[in-house]
Amino acid sequence: MPLSPKESFRALLQQLMDIVENMHEQCFKAQTPEHMKKIMNMTLRQGKALRTISVLTQDKPEGVPLKLLAERMGMTAPATSLLVESMVMKGFFDRLVNPDDRRSVRIKLSEKGRENFERITAAFIEQYDRLFCSLSPDELAAFSSIIRKLYTFQCSEKP
């Protein structure tokens, strides 16, 4: 019995998640043992925080308020504060006094955090390059168009 369109779409989404998960595994396996010791002492949530801070500070290099990080991560302020504390203790984040509001802090990547993020990102880019070499130019253009459309729908700022 053929799959319904909804079931077919869900199967495609599962395959896409499997591809990304496999790429994550390959990227981590490609790291040197000493680097693995540094990054394996990080939870998935801490890894997501590293990525989120990297993205947010592209527009705000001076750092972002804890509240903004909490909103983007879908976490409470107290939970985010604990997460940030663990990342500061590991040397991945710098916590700075907010000059606009001394009661709050700004968070940004430390030099160690930036180096680790860049190294992990480079490994992912290599994996994606190998993956996309298997697509024809037309397939790559169609895929890119769909990803941009989904990203705009899902990730653009909403009022």
Side-chain angles (χ1 to χ4, degrees):
M1 178 178 213
L3 296 175
S4 71
K6 189 175 188 177
E7 291 169 330
S8 293
F9 182 71
R10 284 185 180 160
L12 285 172
L13 285 178
Q14 184 59 55
Q15 289 174 342
L16 182 59
M17 288 188 291
D18 290 346
I19 290 168
V20 172
E21 183 177 330
N22 181 274
M23 290 176 69
H24 283 208
E25 289 175 16
Q26 289 180 25
C27 288
F28 280 110
K29 287 177 183 173
Q31 302 300 314
T32 63
E34 57 273 1
H35 188 249
M36 287 301 285
K37 286 180 186 175
K38 289 180 186 176
I39 64 172
M40 288 308 285
N41 194 20
M42 188 184 302
T43 66
L44 286 174
R45 184 164 284 185
Q46 289 170 334
K48 181 178 178 184
L50 190 74
R51 180 187 174 282
T52 302
I53 286 293
S54 179
V55 170
L56 291 174
T57 55
Q58 288 176 2
D59 294 333
K60 299 174 190 250
E62 71 281 1
V64 297
L66 187 72
K67 182 179 178 182
L68 178 59
L69 178 60
E71 289 170 2
R72 289 295 173 97
M73 298 235 359
M75 296 172 59
T76 65
T80 305
S81 182
L82 289 172
L83 173 65
V84 166
E85 179 62 27
S86 70
M87 296 297 281
V88 169
M89 297 286 285
K90 290 182 179 190
F92 292 114
F93 287 173
D94 288 331
R95 182 178 32 218
L96 311 162
V97 173
N98 185 344
D100 300 329
D101 180 359
R102 297 192 58 75
R103 296 170 296 160
S104 69
V105 295
R106 289 186 179 164
I107 312 301
K108 68 180 194 173
L109 289 179
S110 66
E111 189 59 35
K112 177 182 175 181
R114 185 177 344 283
E115 288 170 3
N116 276 282
F117 183 75
E118 288 173 1
R119 188 166 182 175
I120 293 167
T121 300
F124 277 103
I125 289 171
E126 286 179 29
Q127 292 293 328
Y128 283 113
D129 284 347
R130 280 196 288 268
L131 178 67
F132 290 121
C133 283
S134 68
L135 299 176
S136 71
D138 288 343
E139 290 169 330
L140 188 55
F143 180 76
S144 298
S145 174
I146 291 167
I147 294 297
R148 278 193 295 276
K149 187 173 187 173
L150 292 174
Y151 181 85
T152 300
F153 176 79
Q154 184 65 36
C155 301
S156 64
E157 294 290 325
K158 295 186 172 91

